[in-house]
């Protein structure tokens, strides 16, 4: 025998010894699950994704959840099934075109691995020359029978195994290994440990201590004592915590497979948790307190009130202590007489602890879920956030610093972001994911050196390697499998065109009172069918897709008449959705009274009746309507005329914008203007003149002058403010700002002087005395608006107004007296006569000018007067350049 062959055989023997107690995640389907026979001859898969199995009891189709026996009346087989099953009904030697045997591979996978059988199970290897065995599958590792008849690899990578008298087996991946399903220390473990060099894994439980080494494994028990915690000191020595104290034990001595207990180190004190500090000292805790001890047995108590300890974790130079009364911290050298409370006593009943690389403290509680403590603040996750239970038994950080949570109802993976700040997702792991038991054992979890995880449950130990979990890249094939009417299966033929191979109607139309339908559908994903999730939508009724659900049926009741399309899509266990949803189209027909012909004929009859009735009413109401229209027209005309008169009157009182604001809002806001020019005029000696004339004559003459002034304001765009006796006041630049406000006001003043001269000349010819006028102007800021709520009047306020009034009273008859602010604006166009500083009442001395005339380049004659037909053109030009 060659050395290479001897080495191969030795590796097989050693591997068999090592994994003899482990089982793979193999699922077995037998007659009790619906398989027609217990012996499988051939396996294949059709294009739709169904698995076809030929057994000694007949042919069946498997959709991942149930078997359907295929009878001659079931219809023709898919064409692609014939070559794989062979011409014989029970072909025992054919599958995928490969012949089963010991020398020829029974199955060669897409990843290059080959499977062989020798009658005692299956061997899987990747190198046919060296015959390096990687996996052995037989009864001890979960296979239902050692006599394998056929194998098949489906499109998702799952290996299907047909056996003799053992039914159909499904081998998904190597990611899940089960230990201790038949008892022993791995059957119901309470703790795990790994030796410092990583060569041996230990498990402790109610049956003692067991271990798995590189080339051997074994166990040992202490009579009447249950191991509750483990600590591996080196490759051959460990400490077990029991309800009677801590026990030192040896394992794997002298090539002997077994565990030998040596002596009690700390008798009389129950030990439920143990850790080893960076200084080599041991911390042992239990319900009656905590001690700090050396390996040789010398110990000292830790703290004063140390009862109720449930878990210990080393964090830097401190040790975290979880109790039934809260979380505490103590220095590793035991120098503190009192623990430092992190979470106050009585706030949390702590069951387990772990600390991540970001120094977050993760806390498992007895009834309060998972708590994260960070920088003095806490955050909690409970059943409201997706946990199966609030009773936490295990906390374990994997190689990616994601948190695994074991509860009394299942396991969860809390996926965190890179900064360990946010929980991205919470996934559930239970029996459907290969966990034989879902009730976690307290604190029985461990991260292995190869980043795999160990979990203890009430039904054995789970060794989970996430790197070996099968990722299914193939989207599930979705199809509608069943349709029920009022939860029954009627004869669809009266309401459809034909029936398809599955007995579903095509071209379905239903009466209006047959509107209660139940759809059953499937998403064919044979790897993890229990993880398939669905979304559906009924076009014609639903606007959006339904929430993601695991239910494979949905009922729609009370459907209105119309066209509908039922759509359903599926997602496999790896999160891959199918692109094209399955469709089922149908129609609900309306009752005869809701059909178009019935509605049309009824509508016509109703319209004819209404038409006749309406004609009678029209004759009676025609004259009344005409009379009413005449009244309405007359009233409307009167209202329109009245509105026009009121609008005209309002515009004569207020500026247009102010009037519009007053009509819309009921009030008009006062506004500030930065640059305006105010003009005041007054007739000199008016008091004496009024005493010499009749009152009616005085008013008539004033009206003669003021009407002329009003026309001038319209000409130059100035706003008349008010008249007080013989005083006339206007402003330029309000309510709409104007860049030529000063020039407009000065031009108005010059024309006012011209108009007064013309009227006085006419008065003198009539034998009446002349009325000489004084005009004063000033530019500057002011406030304009309407005040009060009765007899509205538009007015202006400010020092600019007061100074303009003083300029008028300090002027001279027949002249326009202006300030320096006006002079600066009009000097390029107007010739002015400087008066120097003039003393004005309440204003002191003010620099004043008399407006003389337009400059020659803007005047039409030597006197600086403009002809009326040229005046506006020149002003427009000045407004443009100004």
């Amino acid at each position: 025998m060659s050395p290479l062959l001897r080495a191969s055989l030795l590796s097989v023997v050693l591997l068999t010894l090592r994994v003899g107690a482990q089982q793979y995640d193999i699922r077995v389907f037998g007659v009790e699950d619906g398989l027609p026979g217990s012996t499988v001859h051939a396996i294949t898969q059709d294009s739709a994704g169904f698995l076809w199995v030929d057994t000694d009891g007949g042919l069946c189709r498997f959709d991942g959840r149930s078997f359907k026996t295929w009878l001659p009346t079931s219809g023709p087989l898919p064409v692609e099934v014939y070559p794989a099953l062979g011409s014989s009904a029970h072909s025992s030697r054919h599958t995928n075109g490969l012949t089963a045997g010991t020398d020829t591979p029974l199955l060669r996978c897409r990843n290059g691995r080959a499977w062989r059988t020798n009658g005692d199970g299956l061997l899987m290897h990747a190198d046919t020359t060296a015959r390096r065995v990687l996996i052995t599958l037989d009864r001890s590792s979960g296979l239902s029978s050692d006599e394998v008849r056929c194998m098949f690899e489906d499109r998702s990578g799952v290996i299907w195994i047909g056996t003799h008298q053992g039914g159909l087996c499904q081998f998904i991946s190597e990611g899940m290994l089960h230990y201790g399903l038949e008892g022993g220390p791995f059957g119901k473990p309470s703790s795990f440990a790994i030796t410092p060099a990583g060569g041996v894994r230990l498990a402790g439980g109610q049956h003692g201590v067991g271990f798995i080494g590189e080339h051997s494994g074994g166990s040992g028990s202490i009579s009447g004592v249950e191991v509750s915690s483990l600590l591996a000191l080196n490759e051959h020595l460990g400490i077990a915590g029991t309800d009677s104290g801590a026990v030192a034990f040896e394992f794997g001595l002298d090539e002997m497979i077994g565990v030998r207990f040596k002596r009690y180190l700390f008798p009389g004190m129950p030990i439920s948790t143990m850790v080893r500090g960076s200084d080599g000292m041991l911390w042992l805790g239990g319900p009656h307190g905590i001690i700090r001890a050396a390996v040789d047995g010398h110990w000292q108590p830790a703290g004063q009130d140390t009862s109720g300890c449930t878990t210990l974790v080393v964090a830097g130079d401190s040790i975290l202590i979880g109790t039934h009364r809260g979380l505490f911290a103590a220095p590793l050298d035991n120098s503190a007489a009192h623990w430092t409370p992190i979470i106050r006593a009585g706030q949390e009943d702590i069951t387990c602890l772990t600390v991540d690389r970001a120094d977050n403290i993760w806390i498992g509680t007895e009834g309060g879920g998972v708590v994260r403590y960070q920088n003095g603040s806490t955050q909690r996750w409970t059943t409201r956030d997706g946990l199966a239970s609030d009773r936490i038994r295990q906390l374990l950080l994997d190689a990616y610093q994601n948190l695994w949570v074991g509860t009394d109802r299942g396991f969860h993976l809390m996926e965190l972001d890179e900064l360990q700040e946010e929980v991205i997702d919470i996934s559930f792991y239970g029996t459907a994911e290969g966990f034989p038991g879902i009730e976690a054992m307290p604190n029985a979890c461990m991260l292995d050196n190869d980043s795999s995880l160990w979990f203890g449950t009430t039904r054995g130990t789970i060794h989970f390697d996430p790197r070996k979990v099968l990722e299914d890249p193939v989207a599930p094939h979705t199809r509608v499998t069943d349709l029920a009417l009022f939860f029954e299966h009627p004869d669809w033929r009266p309401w459809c065109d034909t029936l398809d191979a599955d007995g579903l109607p095509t071209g379905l139309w239903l009466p209006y009172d047959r509107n209660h339908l139940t759809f059953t559908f499937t998403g064919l994903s044979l790897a993890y069918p229990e993880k398939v999730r669905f979304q559906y939508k009924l076009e014609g009724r639903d606007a959006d897709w339904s929430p993601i659900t695991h239910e494979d049926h949905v009922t729609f009741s009370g459907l209105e008449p119309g066209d509908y399309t039922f759509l359903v899509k599926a997602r496999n266990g790896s999160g891959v959705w199918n692109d094209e949803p399955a469709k089922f189209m149908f129609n609900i027909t309306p009752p005869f009274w809701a059909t178009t012909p019935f509605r049309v004929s009824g509508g016509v009859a109703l319209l004819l009746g209404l038409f006749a009735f309406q004609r009678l009413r029209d004759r009676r109401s025609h004259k009344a309507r005409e009379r009413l229209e005449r009244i309405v027209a007359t009233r409307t005309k009167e209202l329109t005329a009245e509105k026009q008169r009121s609008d005209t009157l309002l515009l004569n009182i207020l500026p247009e914008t102010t009037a519009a604001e007053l009509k819309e809002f009921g009030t008009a806001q006062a506004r500030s203007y930065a640059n305006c020019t105010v003009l005041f005029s007054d007739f000199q000696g008016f008091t004496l003149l009024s005493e010499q004339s009749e009152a009616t004559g005085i008013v008539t003459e004033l009206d003669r002058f003021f009407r002329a002034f009003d026309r001038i304001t319209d000409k130059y765009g100035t706003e008349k403010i008010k008249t007080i006796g013989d005083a006339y006041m206007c402003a330029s630049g309000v309510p709409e700002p104007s860049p030529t406000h000063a020039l407009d006001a000065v031009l108005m003043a010059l024309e006012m002087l011209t108009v007064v001269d013309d009227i006085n000349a006419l008065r003198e010819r009539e034998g009446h005395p002349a009325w000489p006028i004084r005009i004063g102007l000033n530019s500057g800021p002011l406030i304009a608006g309407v005040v009060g709520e009765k007899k509205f009047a538009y007015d202006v306020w400010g020092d600019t107004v007061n100074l303009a009034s003083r300029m008028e009273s300090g002027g001279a008859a027949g002249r326009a007296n202006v300030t320096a602010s006006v002079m600066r604006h009009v000097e390029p166009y107007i010739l002015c006569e400087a008066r120097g500083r003039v003393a004005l009442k309440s204003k002191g001395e003010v620099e004043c000018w008399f407006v003389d005339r337009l400059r020659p380049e803007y005047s039409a004659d030597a006197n600086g007067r403009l002809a009326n037909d040229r005046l506006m053109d020149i002003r427009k030009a000045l407004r443009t350049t100004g």
Side-chain angles (χ1 to χ4, degrees), residues 63-110:
D63 62 2
R65 299 193 179 192
S66 61
F67 293 91
K68 178 181 180 182
T69 302
W70 205 260
L71 303 174
T73 57
S74 301
L77 289 174
V79 176
E80 65 267 24
V81 173
Y82 283 105
L85 297 180
S87 58
S88 172
H90 301 296
S91 175
S92 62
R93 301 289 293 173
H94 265 200
T95 172
N96 297 348
L98 299 176
T99 302
T102 58
D103 298 327
T104 304
L106 186 63
L107 178 67
R108 190 178 298 278
C109 300
R110 292 189 292 268

Side-chain angles (χ1 to χ4, degrees), residues 475-507:
H477 185 86
T478 310
R479 60 188 297 164
V480 178
T481 58
D482 189 35
L483 178 65
L485 178 64
F486 291 104
F487 303 110
E488 297 180 351
H489 294 85
D491 183 3
W492 298 106
R493 286 175 294 184
W495 303 316
C496 69
D497 298 336
T498 184
L499 298 177
D500 64 11
D502 293 326
L504 295 177
T506 58

Side-chain angles (χ1 to χ4, degrees), residues 113-416:
R113 295 179 174 181
W115 292 85
R116 301 176 184 272
T117 179
N118 57 4
D120 294 325
L122 288 171
L123 301 179
M124 186 277 286
H125 56 87
D127 188 349
T128 57
T129 302
R131 300 183 63 83
R132 182 166 55 90
V133 178
L134 300 179
I135 293 178
T136 300
L137 296 183
D138 53 20
R139 283 183 176 274
S140 64
S141 56
L143 203 62
S144 60
S145 172
D146 289 341
E147 187 175 347
V148 177
R149 289 294 184 92
C150 56
M151 294 185 69
F152 179 78
E153 181 186 22
D154 68 20
R155 64 185 60 177
S156 61
V158 174
I159 304 300
W160 296 88
I161 306 165
T163 68
H164 176 68
Q165 298 296 323
L168 181 67
C169 299
Q170 180 190 29
F171 176 73
I172 298 180
S173 72
E174 309 157 43
M176 192 77 69
L177 296 178
H178 305 154
Y179 291 85
L181 297 182
E182 298 177 357
F186 287 87
K188 203 172 184 180
S190 59
S191 59
F192 294 111
I194 185 170
T195 56
V200 182
R201 285 84 179 165
L202 302 171
Q206 62 182 358
H207 300 295
V209 176
F211 72 94
I212 300 175
E214 288 294 332
H215 303 297
S216 62
S219 64
S221 63
I222 313 173
S223 178
V225 177
E226 180 177 346
V227 175
S228 57
S229 57
L230 282 178
L231 193 62
L233 301 180
N234 53 47
E235 299 302 301
H236 298 288
L237 181 64
I239 299 177
T242 72
D243 55 3
S244 300
V247 185
F249 64 92
E250 295 176 331
F251 50 90
L253 296 176
D254 302 323
E255 302 294 333
M256 185 177 66
I257 301 176
V259 176
R260 184 175 67 186
F261 292 91
K262 297 177 63 177
R263 59 190 175 86
Y264 279 95
L265 296 178
F266 314 104
M269 175 179 173
I271 304 298
S272 58
T273 178
M274 295 187 295
V275 293
R276 192 174 190 179
S278 56
D279 56 358
M281 298 296 289
L282 306 177
W283 287 74
L284 301 90
H288 301 313
I290 298 176
I291 61 174
R292 181 174 179 267
V295 178
D296 59 7
H298 293 86
W299 62 276
Q300 64 185 70
Q304 292 182 348
D305 183 11
T306 60
S307 61
C309 177
T310 58
T311 180
L312 298 170
V313 172
V314 175
D317 58 355
S318 299
I319 184 165
L320 299 177
I321 305 163
T323 73
H324 293 301
R325 299 174 294 106
L327 177 63
F328 302 85
L332 281 176
D333 59 5
N334 198 27
S335 59
H338 299 282
W339 296 345
T340 302
I342 298 177
I343 296 181
R344 295 292 179 180
Q347 292 183 344
E348 298 289 355
D349 186 353
I350 297 175
T351 58
C352 45
L353 289 172
T354 189
V355 180
D356 63 21
R357 63 189 174 198
D359 294 330
N360 297 312
I361 302 175
W362 295 90
I363 305 167
T365 68
E366 179 60 28
V370 178
V371 178
R372 177 172 63 183
Y373 177 86
Q374 183 184 37
N375 299 328
S377 62
T378 59
Q379 188 176 2
R380 187 182 303 272
W381 289 265
T382 64
T383 52
R384 293 189 297 271
D385 305 296
L387 296 182
S389 172
D390 290 336
R391 299 179 65 185
I392 310 302
R393 302 289 182 82
Q394 300 172 3
L395 290 178
L396 179 64
L397 289 164
D398 63 17
Y400 300 100
Q401 292 291 285
N402 293 318
L403 186 68
W404 289 81
V405 181
T407 74
D408 60 346
R409 294 183 180 177
F411 293 80
H412 293 274
L413 171 61
M414 297 177 64
E415 186 179 355
L416 295 127

Side-chain angles (χ1 to χ4, degrees), residues 810-838:
R815 304 300 296 272
N817 189 27
V818 300
T819 60
S821 59
V822 178
M823 180 62 184
R824 283 195 301 270
H825 286 87
V826 302
E827 186 177 9
Y829 316 104
I830 307 295
L831 292 175
C832 298
E833 176 185 341
R835 298 182 62 196
R837 301 186 67 82
V838 178

Side-chain angles (χ1 to χ4, degrees), residues 174-175 400 449-452 464-471:
E174 309 157 43
Y400 300 100
N449 286 355
D450 59 359
S451 299
S452 60
F464 180 61
D465 191 344
R467 299 169 301 176
K468 297 181 180 179
V469 173
L470 175 67
E471 291 292 333

Side-chain angles (χ1 to χ4, degrees), residues 20 395 455 460 521 752 810:
L395 290 178
F455 299 101
F521 38 84
M752 287 175 66

